[in-house]
Amino acid sequence: MNRFSTLSRAIPKSTSRIYNLTKFNSKKIHTVAPIPYLVENGLKPLYSSETLDRLYNVRQKMLLEKVDEYAKDTEFDDKTLKEIITITSSYPEHAALYNYASQAWNFDFFLQNLTDRPHEPNMILRKALSLHFGSFEGFKNIFTMHAKGIFGNGWTWLAVDRDGNYFIKNTYNGGFLSTGTKEILKITTKFEEGRNRVPINQVTTLFPILCLNMWTDSYLADFGYNRDAYIEAFWKVVNWDLISQKIHRKEI
């Protein structure tokens, strides 16, 4: 029995799906993956039903259709989103395909880590994050400040490496959280209630655990330009049980 076996609720199987692929004549047709809550109910206080419907049923569908359009009759037409992102990231001529695939992957990852059944993080997760950020509230403060620091569109990530070190970083526009790259991190001796104890210049493979969508179309309809209120609402719908499992398994 692993240390996360005491989680209070089972995680819906659909939350582990990053994307859904249907094969047709050896080509992969990317379709919008199910999410573990009803779109028509919204995801309050983060999303109204209208906003969630627009982002999930319209925008995400458009992104995946663009992936199929740009991948058609190329070496990418039988590749998964993750494979497309990994390969095209090094080729400027495939920038459009990379951006659509990365944006679709990021947004699905973001939605899969949310829940309509609010709950508090368990003590194991709190302790793990406190060891690296001084306290659980310290982690939230540092993550929040990263999100507020995004000028324009982007994503804020919590990631963990194979040694159990935690990283908080931003990517911009359709940027995918790169793995296996050198992380240049500032050692923050004290940041409100938290401290970042991760060494700088560390080459590591990062496993995304949690991300926050900071694209303007994600908050403008429901919050206007009040990004502080949007970020606060995000913390109320995070699926902490799922985050605990991901940290333990180091999987995405």
Side-chain angles (χ1 to χ4, degrees):
M1 179 179 295
N2 65 55
R3 58 178 178 166
F4 291 97
S5 61
T6 58
L7 295 176
S8 60
R9 285 201 319 278
I11 305 301
K13 291 183 179 179
S14 61
T15 60
S16 66
R17 299 175 64 182
I18 302 305
Y19 44 81
N20 182 34
L21 300 175
T22 303
K23 210 160 191 179
F24 179 73
N25 291 339
S26 79
K27 296 181 180 180
K28 290 187 181 297
I29 307 301
H30 299 80
T31 59
V32 180
I35 52 177
Y37 38 87
L38 296 176
V39 173
E40 55 265 34
N41 291 342
L43 191 60
K44 296 180 179 179
L46 185 65
Y47 289 134
S48 64
S49 57
E50 294 80 8
T51 297
L52 186 56
D53 177 69
R54 173 175 52 80
L55 293 173
Y56 177 76
N57 286 321
V58 179
R59 190 175 188 278
Q60 183 71 345
K61 182 173 180 288
M62 177 275 294
L63 291 171
L64 293 172
E65 287 175 346
K66 285 293 186 181
V67 170
D68 291 337
E69 176 185 331
Y70 278 92
K72 184 179 180 180
D73 298 326
T74 73
E75 64 269 35
F76 304 109
D77 65 2
D78 63 343
K79 298 293 190 293
T80 66
L81 285 180
K82 190 72 175 293
E83 290 170 337
I84 290 173
I85 294 166
T86 301
I87 298 170
T88 59
S89 62
S90 301
Y91 296 93
E93 62 269 29
H94 295 302
L97 177 57
Y98 168 84
N99 284 322
Y100 283 120
S102 179
Q103 183 75 341
W105 194 98
N106 289 355
F107 185 61
D108 184 72
F109 184 86
F110 165 66
L111 290 181
Q112 299 294 351
N113 286 282
L114 306 179
T115 181
D116 59 353
R117 299 179 180 180
H119 55 278
E120 293 296 318
N122 61 51
M123 292 307 298
I124 295 175
L125 177 59
R126 284 179 174 272
K127 182 177 180 180
L129 292 174
S130 295
L131 287 174
H132 290 264
F133 300 103
S135 68
F136 180 73
E137 288 304 315
F139 151 69
K140 288 177 62 177
N141 289 337
I142 296 172
F143 189 100
T144 295
M145 290 305 297
H146 274 71
K148 290 181 180 180
I150 292 178
F151 186 79
N153 297 316
W155 308 83
T156 298
W157 303 83
L158 169 67
V160 63
D161 67 11
R162 295 187 186 279
D163 296 324
N165 296 310
Y166 292 87
F167 299 79
I168 296 174
K169 65 176 299 184
N170 291 337
T171 60
Y172 297 89
N173 296 318
F176 181 72
L177 183 66
S178 300
T179 59
T181 58
K182 181 176 289 188
E183 300 297 322
I184 308 299
L185 300 176
K186 294 180 180 179
I187 297 180
T188 306
T189 56
K190 188 173 183 180
F191 190 96
E192 296 186 7
E193 297 181 30
R195 287 179 292 175
N196 186 346
R197 302 174 181 175
V198 180
I200 63 173
N201 296 335
Q202 179 174 330
V203 178
T204 184
T205 297
L206 298 180
F207 298 86
I209 298 297
L210 176 69
C211 81
L212 171 57
N213 182 357
M214 289 303 295
W215 275 64
T216 54
D217 64 357
S218 187
Y219 57 80
L220 201 58
D222 293 331
F223 296 91
Y225 288 101
N226 189 352
R227 301 201 307 168
D228 290 3
Y230 168 74
I231 296 170
E232 184 62 29
F234 161 74
W235 290 121
K236 296 177 181 178
V237 294
V238 172
N239 189 337
W240 293 113
D241 289 351
L242 181 59
I243 302 308
S244 294
Q245 291 187 349
K246 287 189 174 187
I247 286 177
H248 177 63
R249 298 171 184 169
K250 297 184 178 64
E251 66 178 21
I252 59 174

